[in-house]
Amino acid sequence: MPVVVALGSVAVLILVAVAALFLVARPAFATRFVYGAAGLVALVLMVTALAALLGRVDISGEIVLPVGLPWVGAHFRIDPLSAFFLVVIDLGAAAASLYALGYGAHETQPERVLPFFPAFLAGMNLVILAADAFSFLVAWEFMSLASWALVMAHHQAEENRRAGFVYLVMASFGTLMLLLAFGLMAGPDGVYAFAEMRHRVHADWLPGLVLLLALLGAGSKAGLVPLHVWLPLAHPAAPSHVSALMSGVMTKVALYGFVRIVFDLVGDPVWWWSAVVMALGALTAVVGVLHAILERDFKRLLAYSTVENIGIVFIGLGLALAFAANEMAAPAALALTAALFHALNHSLFKGLMFFGAGAVLTATGERDIEKLGGLIHRLPVTAVVVLGGAMAISALPPLNGFVSEWMIFQAILLSPDLPQWALKLMVPAVGAALAFSAALAGACFVRAYGVAFLGRPRSTAAAGAHEVDRFSLVAMGLLLGLCLMAGVVPGLVIDAVSSVAVQVVGHDMPPQPLWPTLSIVPVSEGRSSYSGMLVLVFIAMSSGLAAWAIHRFASKALRRGPAWDCGFPDASPVTQYTADSFAMPIRRVFGPVAFRSHIERRMPPPGDPSPAQLKVVKHDLSWEILYAPISGRVARLAERLNTLQFLSIRSYLTLVFAALVGLLVVVAIWA
Amino acid sequence: MGLIRDLAVQGAQMVFVLLLAPLLLGVTRKLKARMLDRVGPPLFQPYRDLLKLVRKEVVIAENASWLFRVAPYVIFAATWVAAALVPTFATGLQFSWTADLIAITALLATARFFLALAGMDIGTAFGGIGASREMLFASLAEPAMIMMVFVVALVAGSTQLSWVANFMLTHASLRVSLGMALVALVIVALAENARIPVDNPATHLELTMVHEAMVLEYSGRHLAVIELAAALKLLLYVSLIACVFVPWGLAPPRSGFLPLVIGAVTYIGKISVGAFLLVFFETSIAKMRVFRVPELLGAALMLGFLGTLLLFVSRSF
């Protein structure tokens, strides 16, 4: 039974975590042991889950362990939905472990990372395996705390401590919301096992409330705007392989939680749910990418891009909800498949990009792209794989990011048949937001790649960088290969998730023709089709042909000289276009709306020799509108309550007595 | 037999667009010169320029990377593949199912991605300014294009360009939404091809240029390939407008020799009219300030969006 293998693997991960505690005296060995073991276990888990997803093994049957709530126990099982997410998670985990075999050697304090890394993996796998609310929440919290410990690994930096604090608060908030959601679904008689929870009949108001709680709970972990504020702080603070896991993989656990609750446990969807989900998804996609494009810190830029991609996945999920609520099963299957496909794609290319950011960090010690440049000469292999990742994330054919977005567009084109007017008016706007965010993502990664890898080095660290170790390169190459494969033969992925679509929306996409066309056909031949393989072949053939023809029949001569630059080349690298100047036109056009940004100019009065100053003021609106007032109130309240610390013993006794009386009165009224 | 003919049509189309693209450029330059009461360069001057460039030695900057040398071919290939998928004189293109209209948009985005990166490779201020502005324009032009695609796809029930052209040919009707989509597409086409009022193809005044700034460091065969790709892109947009909005004369799939000839002749006629309109528009308007361009493109996006919205409200608009 695959679930036994999976649980056994999780147990091994926990044992590895415990063993790591005792091995920290020999950091070099501990690093190899922990990442090697974690990678192997993740590989076993992934193969098991893949076999389960493809229906090669029997997945029926549930394991009940006598731990957890009395009379409930801890239930674990694998169904197609969990199998898919297990594949995504353990694929990312295996790649991160492989990468960390090389990258982890640079860790200054391995004892702060090694024990928590396998524990984090174990937590994520347990969330997916859990089949009752209690185990789910315990695993969820375990995952949050393990990742919090990893975020705090480099706690000496002030900003990392702040990131850790904000993350802890948001994670607790999210878990609380999920707790309430499960509590509502379990009802007064406490039906905690998913198998029974699914069949409960709820009051009319309850499913809607559960949806909102799931959006708050799972959405805060996934990074939905405006609950995303912790994400760009916490994800970059961790070591890069952990950042890759948090951004690429842990957000998928959150997506799993959302899909599990909303599509599976709570019952039939209502159309207005999709409007909420889609609106939040579109907002998240646009806000995320606008933040990303103005960011100078490479890892924070990637974290904001995660926010964007989560928005895209939620757009797909929202469309699937809209179709499912109107019993349009085939379009729902298309939208859901697209959303899951994009989730898989994001885990691949975001892992790759964070590995690349880690490689740059190892090579130069810099995260600020403004201090990089010219890395394509110094890190030749990293530059190639990161270029591939940047293309994939910018949704360019023939890579994978394009395929999933193309499928979402196809789902949007089916939505005029939706009967609700609100949805009819909303879906075109969502489509525009999706197209807009895809285009901006292209600009964002041209900027990031162009400033960091191209041009001339802007610092001595960038000028003297060296290529990173083999493990890191192989891990990145592996992910790029998977990106390419998913882009070129997307039919494989679509067919693999068909059992998930059947389970979740009761229908699947038509089987994709593998031969001879290798194209994907979401609805019908005449309507739309796309063949990544042929696009790749055509591009390769025509560029090869052009290069061959020119080199065969025309000049092959090549001479290197100083840059032309309209006749006035300046040798100083500071004359290059910077990241900020690249983003300036975009900030100027979209900033006043998105960030209320403006420029403050300070001109010294005539005669004053001090320099004039120019400062860009940019506001993070979700922080200022939503969080600043709340945290301000909490701080003021805490200040007030501070006096309670310094009371006399008599006052404390009086307070205790008053509280007791108060509670008794409440109980009396309740009964 | 049918397959061979289809392949032949597809192959002919690929060669045809490649050979025709510089001529379109030559025609627009000549027409423009005539409108300004100048003699203008000969019609075939673009071919001569390309030939001259490929024969010359390439001079590249000392710190240019492999990306700088590879990018021209990638840009050319992506543009050529995209151009090959737009029906010019016949609809039944053998490989039209390879990539639909959304994928064609994305192929052009791939070309743009590499062009902007190539602009940043040397590390000069001009390359950066061009890349930055190009990406700004693209961030609005691309969604506008996708919205235009939505309109067309909702009307025709397909994003497959051959299918759309066939539909337009057989079910032609005047629609408000298609009108909006046409205006949006024209604006996008002007912006994407660096034409006035967005950019000036004839200028070498550095501060106003976008496309020229990115390719400033290129020379010799690399420049030739990039110029050819730019010419292909112009032809692609004109053909796209022609095949979606004025599809008359297109040879239907599996047609004989005569319809193909008629198709080719009408196609030449259509792009000539397109070139004339482009030149007329360009000579009668001034170039915009860079930060006015987003407003123009925003208008295109809004038009496309309104068109889509109308079709969501009722299929009959």
Side-chain angles (χ1 to χ4, degrees), chain A residues 377 406 410 454-456 526-531 534 550 554-555 557 559-561 564-566 576-577 582 585, chain B residues 54 56-64 97-98 100 117 121 123 126 129 132 158-160 206 217 221 225 305:
Chain A
H377 303 286
W406 182 82
Q410 296 298 339
L454 305 178
R456 289 171 283 163
R527 198 173 171 99
S528 53
S529 60
Y530 166 74
S531 167
L534 274 182
I550 282 184
S555 157
R559 182 158 55 87
R560 289 197 179 252
W564 158 234
D565 206 13
C566 270
Q576 296 179 84
Y577 231 51
F582 190 96
Chain B
V54 292
K56 281 197 168 231
E57 174 192 46
V58 169
V59 184
I60 61 173
E62 275 134 2
N63 64 328
W97 45 262
T98 304
D100 64 352
L117 283 183
D121 186 54
F126 283 125
I129 203 170
S132 161
S158 168
T159 51
Q160 220 58 325
E206 298 82 5
E217 297 293 333
R221 55 178 185 266
V225 172
F305 177 63

Side-chain angles (χ1 to χ4, degrees), chain B:
Chain B
M1 186 61 207
L3 181 71
I4 293 173
R5 191 188 41 209
D6 285 347
L7 278 175
V9 167
Q10 176 74 55
Q13 145 107 5
M14 285 191 84
V15 178
F16 186 59
V17 290
L18 193 61
L19 292 180
L20 198 65
L23 184 63
L24 177 61
L25 219 52
V27 170
T28 54
R29 283 185 192 157
K30 185 79 178 175
L31 277 175
K32 201 167 187 177
R34 297 304 303 160
M35 260 183 215
L36 299 171
D37 220 6
R38 287 191 283 117
V39 177
L43 276 183
F44 291 93
Q45 188 62 37
Y47 296 98
R48 290 184 198 159
D49 288 346
L50 289 177
L51 219 57
K52 177 188 73 188
L53 282 173
V54 292
R55 286 198 193 127
K56 281 197 168 231
E57 174 192 46
V58 169
V59 184
I60 61 173
E62 275 134 2
N63 64 328
S65 68
W66 58 266
L67 192 131
F68 188 78
R69 298 174 63 181
V70 169
Y73 301 106
V74 178
I75 295 163
F76 170 74
T79 317
W80 194 21
V81 171
L85 295 169
V86 179
T88 53
F89 57 90
T91 59
L93 290 179
Q94 178 61 25
F95 289 107
S96 74
W97 45 262
T98 304
D100 64 352
L101 205 39
I102 300 176
I104 290 174
T105 314
L107 276 170
L108 293 175
T110 307
R112 179 182 324 110
F113 186 85
F114 276 93
L115 188 61
L117 283 183
M120 297 184 78
D121 186 54
I122 308 294
T124 57
F126 283 125
I129 203 170
S132 161
R133 289 176 175 178
E134 175 83 1
M135 294 321 282
L136 168 72
F137 296 165
S139 71
L140 285 164
E142 225 179 274
M145 180 82 178
I146 294 280
M147 286 289 116
M148 186 294 290
V149 175
F150 276 13
V151 172
V152 171
L154 289 174
V155 168
S158 168
T159 51
Q160 220 58 325
L161 209 39
S162 271
W163 196 278
V164 170
N166 248 339
F167 180 90
M168 295 290 177
L169 202 55
T170 47
H171 301 75
S173 60
L174 277 179
R175 287 165 179 262
V176 185
S177 55
L178 280 181
M180 290 175 165
L182 176 61
V183 177
L185 180 57
V186 167
I187 295 177
V188 170
L190 289 173
E192 290 278 7
N193 288 295
R195 311 301 296 194
I196 296 175
V198 173
D199 192 1
N200 191 344
T203 186
H204 283 275
L205 190 69
E206 298 82 5
L207 286 179
T208 59
M209 62 196 193
V210 180
H211 181 264
E212 294 294 321
M214 283 187 288
V215 303
L216 193 63
E217 297 293 333
Y218 275 112
S219 57
R221 55 178 185 266
H222 295 153
L223 187 60
V225 172
I226 288 185
E227 299 268 314
L228 187 56
L232 268 174
K233 197 166 162 188
L234 180 65
L235 184 70
L236 182 155
Y237 273 98
V238 178
S239 318
L240 183 62
I241 294 172
C243 96
V244 175
F245 296 98
V246 274
W248 298 284
L250 274 176
R254 316 236 178 291
S255 52
F257 187 66
L258 187 64
L260 287 178
V261 173
I262 295 176
V265 172
T266 47
Y267 174 67
I268 303 277
K270 279 186 255 180
I271 56 167
S272 313
V273 173
F276 175 78
L277 290 177
L278 171 68
V279 169
F280 185 76
F281 181 73
E282 275 199 310
T283 36
S284 52
I285 198 165
K287 197 191 149 309
M288 273 182 177
R289 216 150 46 88
V290 168
F291 285 102
R292 290 285 306 283
V293 174
E295 293 168 23
L296 178 73
L297 288 170
L301 178 58
M302 273 305 123
L303 279 171
F305 177 63
L306 277 179
T308 314
L309 205 58
L310 285 177
L311 286 169
F312 265 76
V313 171
S314 160
R315 282 292 174 91
S316 58
F317 275 108

Side-chain angles (χ1 to χ4, degrees), chain A residues 519-566:
Chain A
S519 59
I520 51 169
V521 182
V523 189
S524 66
E525 282 274 354
R527 198 173 171 99
S528 53
S529 60
Y530 166 74
S531 167
M533 176 64 102
L534 274 182
V535 167
L536 177 67
V537 168
F538 281 163
I539 289 186
M541 267 170 46
S542 45
S543 56
L545 188 70
W548 173 79
I550 282 184
H551 284 88
R552 174 77 182 72
F553 298 109
S555 157
K556 261 183 278 197
L558 184 126
R559 182 158 55 87
R560 289 197 179 252
W564 158 234
D565 206 13
C566 270

